[in-house]
């Protein structure tokens, strides 16, 4: 009987428990092979060196079923393992419609938090089919494969719960497109880097406090970005152009930024930045980090001095979304297969336009609007939202380059 026609035929669930070591899976199936059974399904989990191996196979002839059971138990005992064999009919029940990946980030991740997330999934009608740990540091990242509930209602239900219990939760629909998101575009200030670039310039002009006040108001969405940009840049008039090199040297990358970009590039992604800051800094970042795209405002410099004006097209909230679309077109990537990362109100259009919008240590208005929110200070945790494990990151990285 072919394993593809097992819906109504007798099957056996063979479960093996014990200390993991090489050869157990091969040994079990070598034992089963003597009874000409077909393999319907296999699941294997190893946790702290302990193995749980489940094999769903077609039932052998009535005459040999007792012998199969005795032989499997005898083999397991010889390997210092435990065996359980359960009779039944057909395959595992099909997963429900509506499938999502729920990624939970905790630092640490507690049993109470996990219980709350699992309970809320159940309340939405979702079933947890599989659970898999993506990373144990710098945060604990766990992924739940959930079926039986559509992605949007599940995301809506989990977002307030995550905020209440203090974990980050990302909900994305399952499917091949998850691995096919081949363009990542991120904001620069307070996302790719820890600083606000205009405040670094302002510190050299002696007007840091005034600029910071306007910046905060703009990021909260209380001021028109273009007006606030011009107001802040005017305060820089007269600065010597040599300050550009000083600011470049002062820029601090966000922890995990290099790891994020390097891993994405090695996986074949294209990576870009859009910024309400200045090309004098983003062009340098593009070269240093090997970015594919970079766009920002440009400080006007005349006779070796900053004029207090910007030149060219203004990169504001709408401009960031426009640039995301432009980068996607140039990269040959459908917009649905893009990822955008940002923290401020002027990133909202870009986050909404992308296939996956990630709020990184963002303002409340941005967290509420984004598809996913990350509130730990490590930018490379965004990789976990794409289903990339810490082990995969490290396998592609040189030990001397790892940040964590």
């Amino acid at each position: 009987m072919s394993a593809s026609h097992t819906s109504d035929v007798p099957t056996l669930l063979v479960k093996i428990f014990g200390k993991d070591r090489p050869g157990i899976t091969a040994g079990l199936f070598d034992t089963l092979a003597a009874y000409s059974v077909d393999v319907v399904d296999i699941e294997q989990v190893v946790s702290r060196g302990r193995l749980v191996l489940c094999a769903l196979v077609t039932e052998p002839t009535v005459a040999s079923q007792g012998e199969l059971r005795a032989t499997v138990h005898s083999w397991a005992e010889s390997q210092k393992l435990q065996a359980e064999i359960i009779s039944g009919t057909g395959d595992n029940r099909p997963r429900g419609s509506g499938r999502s990946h729920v990624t939970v980030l905790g630092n640490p991740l507690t049993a109470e938090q996990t219980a709350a997330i699992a309970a809320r999934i159940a309340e939405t009608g979702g079933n947890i089919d599989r659970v898999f740990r993506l990373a144990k540091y710098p945060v604990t990242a766990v992924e739940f494969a959930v079926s039986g509930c559509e992605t949007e209602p599940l995301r809506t239900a989990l977002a307030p719960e995550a905020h209440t219990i203090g974990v980050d939760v990302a909900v994305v629909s399952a499917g091949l497109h998850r691995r096919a998101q081949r363009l990542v575009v991120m904001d620069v200030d307070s996302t790719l880097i820890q600083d606000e670039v205009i405040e670094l310039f302002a510190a050299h002009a002696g007007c840091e406090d005034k600029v910071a006040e306007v910046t905060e108001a703009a990021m909260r969405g209380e001021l028109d970005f273009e007006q606030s940009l011009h107001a802040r840049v005017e305060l820089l008039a007269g600065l010597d152009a040599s300050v550009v090199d000083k600011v470049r040297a002062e820029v601090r990358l966000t922890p995990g930024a290099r790891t994020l970009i390097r891993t994405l590039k090695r996986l074949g992604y294209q990576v870009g930045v859009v910024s309400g800051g200045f090309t004098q800094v983003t062009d340098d970042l593009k070269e240093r980090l090997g970015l594919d795209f970079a766009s920002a405002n440009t400080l006007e410099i005349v006779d070796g001095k900053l004029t207090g004006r910007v030149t060219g097209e203004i990169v504001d909230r709408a401009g960031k979304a426009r640039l995301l679309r432009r980068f996607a077109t140039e990269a040959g990537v459908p917009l649905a297969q893009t990822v955008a990362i940002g923290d401020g109100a002027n990133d909202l259009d870009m986050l909404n336009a992308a296939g996956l919008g990630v709020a990184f240590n963002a303002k409340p208005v941005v967290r509420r609007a984004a598809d996913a929110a990350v509130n730990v200070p490590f930018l490379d945790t965004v990789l976990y939202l794409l289903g990339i494990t810490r082990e995969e990151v490290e396998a592609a990285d040189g030990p001397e380059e790892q940040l964590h």
Side-chain angles (χ1 to χ4, degrees):
M1 172 73 69
S2 168
S4 62
H5 297 86
T6 56
S7 58
D8 297 316
V9 303
T11 51
L12 296 177
L13 176 60
V14 181
K15 302 174 71 176
I16 303 297
F17 313 87
K19 185 177 181 181
D20 185 38
R21 59 184 178 278
I24 292 176
T25 304
L28 172 63
F29 284 96
D30 186 50
T31 302
L32 293 171
Y35 299 91
S36 301
V37 297
D38 295 333
V39 177
V40 179
D41 198 3
I42 308 172
E43 287 279 351
Q44 180 170 307
V45 176
V46 177
S47 182
R48 211 175 67 180
R50 306 296 294 182
L51 167 80
V52 179
L53 169 60
C54 297
L56 186 63
V57 299
T58 54
E59 193 175 86
T61 63
V62 175
S64 60
Q65 186 177 153
E67 183 183 341
L68 180 149
R69 290 174 177 270
T71 303
V72 169
H73 280 286
S74 177
W75 168 82
E77 185 176 350
S78 73
Q79 301 296 312
K80 295 183 171 56
L81 301 168
Q82 293 178 289
E84 181 182 3
I85 303 175
I86 304 171
S87 297
T89 302
D91 198 348
N92 297 309
R93 65 179 177 83
R95 295 175 63 190
S97 61
R99 300 181 183 181
S100 304
H101 296 285
V102 178
T103 306
V104 182
L105 308 179
N107 191 22
L109 179 62
T110 68
E112 182 179 7
Q113 292 166 334
T114 306
I117 293 297
R120 188 53 60 93
I121 290 172
E123 289 170 9
T124 65
N127 184 72
I128 299 172
D129 300 314
R130 289 189 178 91
V131 184
F132 180 72
R133 188 181 71 184
L134 295 167
K136 60 182 178 181
Y137 68 92
V139 298
T140 299
V142 177
E143 180 176 289
F144 296 82
V146 177
S147 63
C149 179
E150 296 300 324
T151 299
E152 283 302 324
L154 185 59
R155 181 184 293 143
T156 300
L158 290 179
E161 184 70 32
H163 179 71
T164 299
I165 64 177
V167 297
D168 295 336
V169 173
V171 183
V172 298
S173 58
L176 290 175
H177 68 278
R178 189 185 188 208
R179 284 283 190 173
Q181 289 168 320
R182 293 298 179 186
L183 172 66
V184 175
V185 177
M186 67 190 90
D187 175 43
V188 175
D189 292 8
S190 299
T191 300
L192 177 63
I193 66 174
Q194 301 177 56
D195 313 282
E196 293 287 332
V197 167
I198 196 166
E199 293 178 9
L200 296 179
F201 278 100
H204 292 279
C207 57
E208 189 175 12
D209 291 342
K210 292 181 180 179
V211 166
E213 289 176 8
V214 181
T215 298
E216 280 300 312
M219 293 297 284
R220 290 193 299 267
E222 297 170 2
L223 292 177
D224 174 80
F225 177 81
E226 184 171 350
Q227 291 177 337
S228 68
L229 174 67
H230 290 305
R232 289 174 292 176
V233 171
E234 284 176 6
L235 297 170
L236 307 181
L239 268 181
D240 193 275
S242 62
V243 77
V244 169
D245 289 333
K246 296 177 183 177
V247 168
R248 287 175 173 176
E250 291 167 353
V251 165
R252 300 166 299 163
L253 292 174
T254 297
R258 287 186 184 276
T259 300
L260 171 68
I261 294 169
R262 188 167 51 242
T263 302
L264 290 173
K265 296 290 289 180
R266 289 175 179 176
L267 289 172
Y269 283 66
Q270 296 188 61
V271 184
V273 294
V274 291
S275 176
F278 310 110
T279 57
Q280 282 83 359
V281 171
T282 58
D283 288 350
D284 181 60
L285 290 170
K286 180 181 179 182
E287 182 178 350
R288 285 167 51 195
L289 299 174
L291 301 174
D292 300 285
F293 306 99
S295 189
N297 300 299
T298 299
L299 291 169
E300 184 181 62
I301 298 176
V302 177
D303 297 328
K305 301 287 186 181
L306 274 64
T307 66
R309 295 187 293 272
V310 292
T311 62
E313 183 181 17
I314 296 297
V315 178
D316 55 8
R317 175 170 167 168
K320 288 187 174 186
R322 185 170 58 250
L323 287 163
L324 170 70
R325 294 185 177 94
R326 183 188 303 171
F327 294 167
T329 299
E330 293 177 13
V333 174
L335 202 59
Q337 294 177 6
T338 63
V339 180
I341 310 168
D343 73 299
N346 63 332
D347 297 314
L348 280 171
D349 289 3
M350 176 177 71
L351 297 182
N352 289 332
L356 176 65
V358 180
F360 181 73
N361 292 305
K363 306 295 185 292
V365 65
V366 182
R367 289 200 303 269
R368 289 193 295 269
D371 298 318
V374 173
N375 295 297
V376 294
F378 308 110
L379 193 57
D380 51 346
T381 54
V382 172
L383 293 168
Y384 308 145
L385 308 186
L386 306 178
I388 300 166
T389 68
R390 192 70 202 179
E391 287 78 8
E392 289 172 320
V393 173
E394 294 179 353
D397 230 349
E400 74 282 356
E401 295 177 318
Q402 294 167 14
L403 296 184
H404 311 309

